Amino acid sequence: MIQDPVLGDFLRRIPKTDLHIHLLGAIRPDTLAALGRKHGLSLPTGDARQIYQYRDFPGFLKLLRLAGQCLVDREDFARVAYELLEDAQRKGNCRHLELSFNPTVFLDNQVRYPVVVDGLVDGMHAARRDFAISSLLVPCIDRERPAGVARAMVEQVLEHRRDEVAGIGMDFAEGKGPPQRFIEAYQLAARHGLRRTAHVCEDNQPLALAPPTHLRTCIEALACDRVDHGYNLLADPEAVIAAREQGIAFNVTVCTAKKSNLGNRMDAIKLMHDAGLRLNIGTDDPYLHHTDLEHSWTKLFSHCGWGIHQARQLALAGVDACWLDAGAKRTLHQEFSLEIDRLTVQVWPRIKPSYIGERAA
C-alpha cells in the first residue's frame, strides 16, 4: 500500500464519487443475514462473515442473485441504500454515488419495481440528510435474459418514472448477452431522456466473449455516453484511439471477482490512463470484493506509482462523468476543486517529491 503517510492521508481525505457500485454487492453481511432470517431464507452459512465467499466468476454471479432474494419489503431497500451510502461516505469520503440495481432479479421474487425504487429513494433521502451525500439510481438490464425482458424493464422504469433514476445500465455475464441484443431497449430509454451506460469489455470474460467491438456497439448503437469496465478495449489500439477522441468515460474498478486477475486489472487501468482515456474509480461490489473507495484508491495508486496530480484528475473526472443535472454538477465540481486545492496546500510542504506525480494535461 502507500508508503508515504502524507499521500495516504491525502487519498483518504480527497472528495470522491462512486459511479460504479451494485446494490447486491454492497449490502453489509450482517444486514444480509438479518434480512435472510426476516424472510425465512436459508443462506449458505449462518456466519455473516462467510456469506460473501465464492470460488469463481459464475459463483460470484450466483451469489448476487441469492442476495437479491433477501430484499422483499420497501423497508429492506431503504435500509440497504442508507447503509451503503453511509459506508461510502465514511470509508472513502464519497460525496456523490450512482447506484446500479437489477429490477429483474427482484421481479423473480415477485417484488414489483415501485417497491424497489421507492424503498431505495427513501434510503437515499435519509442518507443525504444524515451524511451530506447525493445519489442517483441506475436500473440495469439483466443481459442473460431475452431482449423482450430488457424492453419490459425499461417500460417499467418509464411507467414509474422517478427523478432519482437518471439512466439505465446493463450487467451480468457479457458473453451471455452481447450488447447488440438490446438495441431496442436502449433506443426506448433514449427517446424518453434516460442516460445510458453498459458493462462492456470485461476482463473476467475471454476476449472472444467481451471483444472491443462490443464497445463500438455500445457507443454507436446503444448511444452510451459512458461505460463500465472496458479493459479488453486495449486489445484494439484503433478502438482505444476512437474512445479517447469521442470522450467516452470509463467507470473502472480496482478489485475484481476473478482474484487472480487483480494485477492485470490494475495494469490495464494504468494503460488506459496513459492512453488518455477518461477514467473514474468505483467499487463495483465492495463487500463481495472486500474493498471500499479508500482501499481501491490507495491500492491502485500504490500499484501505479501515482501522486496527488493524478488524484485530482481522477476525482474531478468522476464529477464530469456523473449524471447530475448541469447546475448540480457545476456546483459539485466547484466544491471538489476548492477542497482539493486546500488539501494540496496542506500536504505540499511535507509530501515526498516522488509522490507528487505528473501534472495532468
Side-chain angles (χ1 to χ4, degrees), residues 7-16 91-93 294 298:
L7 177 60
D9 186 58
F10 183 90
L11 294 177
R12 178 181 63 82
R13 296 169 61 193
I14 193 171
K16 306 174 189 70
K91 298 180 180 179
N93 197 20
E294 180 182 346
T298 56

Side-chain angles (χ1 to χ4, degrees), residues 44-98:
T45 174
D47 184 349
R49 295 170 299 179
Q50 300 298 316
I51 285 178
Y52 287 130
Q53 299 294 327
Y54 54 92
R55 287 180 174 271
D56 49 26
F57 186 62
F60 161 76
L61 296 179
K62 182 179 179 180
L63 189 52
L64 286 177
R65 295 188 186 277
L66 177 63
Q69 297 178 28
C70 297
L71 302 177
V72 178
D73 302 331
R74 179 168 174 167
E75 294 76 15
D76 299 341
F77 292 96
R79 175 180 178 178
V80 297
Y82 180 89
E83 290 180 351
L84 72 85
L85 286 163
E86 179 184 18
D87 287 343
Q89 194 276 331
R90 292 184 173 175
K91 298 180 180 179
N93 197 20
C94 183
R95 305 294 181 81
H96 177 73
L97 182 147
E98 299 187 358

